[in-house]
Amino acid sequence: MTNEFSAESLSLLKVGDIARRTGKTVRAIHLYEELGLLNPAVRSKGGFRMYRGDGVKRIEWIQKLQDMGFSLTEIKVFLRVWGESATAPKAMATVREIFTDKLRETRETIARLTRLADELSESLAFLEGCRSCDQSQHQRECGGCGRSGPDHEVPLLVDGIAKR
Amino acid sequence: MTNEFSAESLSLLKVGDIARRTGKTVRAIHLYEELGLLNPAVRSKGGFRMYRGDGVKRIEWIQKLQDMGFSLTEIKVFLRVWGESATAPKAMATVREIFTDKLRETRETIARLTRLADELSESLAFLEGCRSCDQSQHQRECGGCGRSGPDHEVPLLVDGIAKR
DNA sequence: TCAAACCCTTACGTTTACGTAAGAGTGATA
DNA sequence: TATCACTCTTACGTAAACGTAAGGGTTTGA
């Protein structure tokens, strides 16, 4: 057992504890501090960073935003904006704006990926026909086998690699 | 008009022509060559890279794969695998495998993004309630206004920023 | 033949989110 | 008090996909 229990009883965690609980590395947490994303509640007499439990939450929050595609710098702006608007409604309005934008962006990304998935499926369907392709025919001539896909056209994903 | 027409009549394009047609920069095309993704058909007497029309197709193909999340290095592997398998069916089998993996991955990404979009919506719904929040209440106390969301819980996306 | 517009090679710069290492101090435990 | 695991600061390293600049040839059309 480590010293975590005694620290925990004082509800103070060292950087390593935070790291273990969030799956992040110590270095990452240091970085977040450099960027102003998370400061320790206090420092021990010897200079150790001591965090409260909400430090874990903050990091999970950061992780969430990262997953959403925010960069650490954007997250920093996020916090700054928050701190600057004195009233709750005003701050909330800004956050709402950012979230709305990101939601739109996320949906666009989903749409794009969906199209790509369709294209992949299409290409895979086309490639099915190659199973029975004449062994003697080399791939450089692929697409000229006359057995083109459903729409009688070689998908770009396949065509691009075959030629040359 | 540039010299593109005369070159085109010989069906040879200079790197700048390729760049214009694909929206890539000359530097990018140089990079693709360094990585072995696209070689010019020939070099002019003076050393200019001269491409045939299919160079454009190759770059569009690269772009497509990049959109799908392949790195240039992965694309290189892609081409190598293709070149190494002598028969078409064998090559096709490998390509099919790669595509299948990527399709699964893409679908996972879509699922993840969908969850995030849901979370964003949820957070936005919660923030709606803040419109009428008491001005005098500072954001540091947000979440304690008693007017928590539908499930009477502050979403992590909001909670993470509010505390501290 | 001359000039404008291109192109060539070489090579260092950029951004993001950490990784890694060095040298030294700290804290809880035996 | 001796240890051993942890932590501190400082600072250079990394990977991807190009950007950018320098110094100098090449094409082409007037």
Side-chain angles (χ1 to χ4, degrees):
Chain A
M1 288 299 140
T2 70
N3 52 352
E4 194 172 328
F5 277 114
S6 59
E8 208 162 355
S9 63
L10 299 165
S11 63
L12 282 180
L13 303 171
K14 290 191 292 187
V15 67
D17 303 326
I18 297 279
R20 261 188 300 282
R21 292 173 178 223
T22 59
K24 295 281 183 181
T25 63
V26 170
R27 174 65 177 110
I29 298 173
H30 284 170
L31 177 66
Y32 298 160
E33 185 175 346
E34 284 174 36
L35 295 178
L37 299 182
L38 170 63
N39 290 112
V42 295
R43 289 276 191 152
S44 77
K45 205 178 88 175
F48 283 24
R49 293 166 175 81
M50 305 305 283
Y51 301 85
R52 283 181 308 235
D54 58 1
V56 173
K57 266 199 171 176
R58 172 61 66 91
I59 288 186
E60 284 167 353
W61 174 73
I62 292 172
Q63 179 64 58
K64 215 84 175 153
L65 291 182
Q66 277 188 302
D67 288 347
M68 288 167 49
F70 286 103
S71 70
L72 293 181
T73 308
E74 285 174 314
I75 297 176
K76 180 180 181 170
V77 171
F78 215 126
L79 282 173
R80 189 173 50 67
V81 163
W82 181 263
E84 277 173 2
S85 50
T87 64
K90 201 168 170 184
M92 287 305 177
T94 308
V95 172
R96 218 159 43 216
E97 205 173 307
I98 298 177
F99 278 4
T100 303
D101 282 357
K102 185 57 75 177
L103 178 56
R104 186 181 37 70
E105 194 183 306
T106 302
R107 287 186 170 143
E108 282 169 9
T109 302
I110 290 175
R112 194 175 54 77
L113 289 180
T114 302
R115 282 194 298 276
L116 285 172
D118 289 349
E119 235 175 313
L120 272 173
S121 297
E122 197 181 315
S123 296
L124 281 169
F126 173 84
L127 290 176
E128 277 306 306
C130 299
R131 256 197 231 288
S132 52
C133 181
D134 185 355
Q135 283 270 15
S136 67
Q137 206 169 343
H138 193 270
Q139 73 265 30
R140 287 186 186 286
E141 313 161 43
C142 180
C145 67
R147 305 177 67 270
S148 299
D151 48 4
H152 280 275
E153 212 183 289
V154 185
L156 174 59
L157 282 179
V158 178
D159 197 35
I161 195 179
K163 295 302 174 52
R164 184 125 267 281
Chain B
M1 288 298 138
T2 70
N3 51 350
E4 195 173 326
F5 277 113
S6 59
E8 208 163 354
S9 63
L10 298 164
S11 62
L12 283 181
L13 303 171
K14 289 190 292 187
V15 68
D17 302 326
I18 298 280
R20 259 187 301 281
R21 290 172 179 223
T22 59
K24 295 281 182 180
T25 63
V26 169
R27 174 66 177 113
I29 298 173
H30 284 171
L31 176 66
Y32 297 160
E33 184 174 346
E34 283 173 36
L35 294 179
L37 299 183
L38 171 63
N39 290 111
V42 295
R43 289 275 190 151
S44 77
K45 205 177 89 174
F48 282 26
R49 294 166 175 80
M50 305 304 283
Y51 301 85
R52 280 181 308 232
D54 58 1
V56 173
K57 266 200 169 175
R58 172 61 65 93
I59 288 186
E60 285 166 354
W61 174 74
I62 292 172
Q63 180 64 57
K64 215 86 174 148
L65 291 182
Q66 277 188 302
D67 288 346
M68 288 167 48
F70 286 102
S71 69
L72 293 182
T73 307
E74 285 175 314
I75 297 176
K76 180 181 180 169
V77 170
F78 215 126
L79 282 174
R80 190 173 49 67
V81 162
W82 180 264
E84 276 173 3
S85 50
T87 63
K90 202 168 170 184
M92 287 305 176
T94 308
V95 172
R96 219 159 43 216
E97 206 174 305
I98 298 177
F99 277 4
T100 302
D101 283 358
K102 186 56 76 176
L103 178 56
R104 186 182 37 68
E105 194 183 306
T106 301
R107 287 186 170 143
E108 282 167 12
T109 302
I110 290 175
R112 195 174 54 78
L113 289 180
T114 302
R115 282 194 299 276
L116 286 173
D118 288 349
E119 237 175 310
L120 273 173
S121 297
E122 198 180 314
S123 296
L124 282 169
F126 173 84
L127 290 176
E128 277 306 305
C130 299
R131 254 196 234 287
S132 52
C133 181
D134 185 355
Q135 283 270 14
S136 66
Q137 206 169 343
H138 193 271
Q139 74 264 31
R140 286 184 188 287
E141 313 161 43
C142 179
C145 67
R147 306 178 65 268
S148 298
D151 47 5
H152 281 273
E153 214 182 286
V154 185
L156 174 59
L157 281 180
V158 177
D159 196 35
I161 194 179
K163 295 301 173 52
R164 183 124 266 283

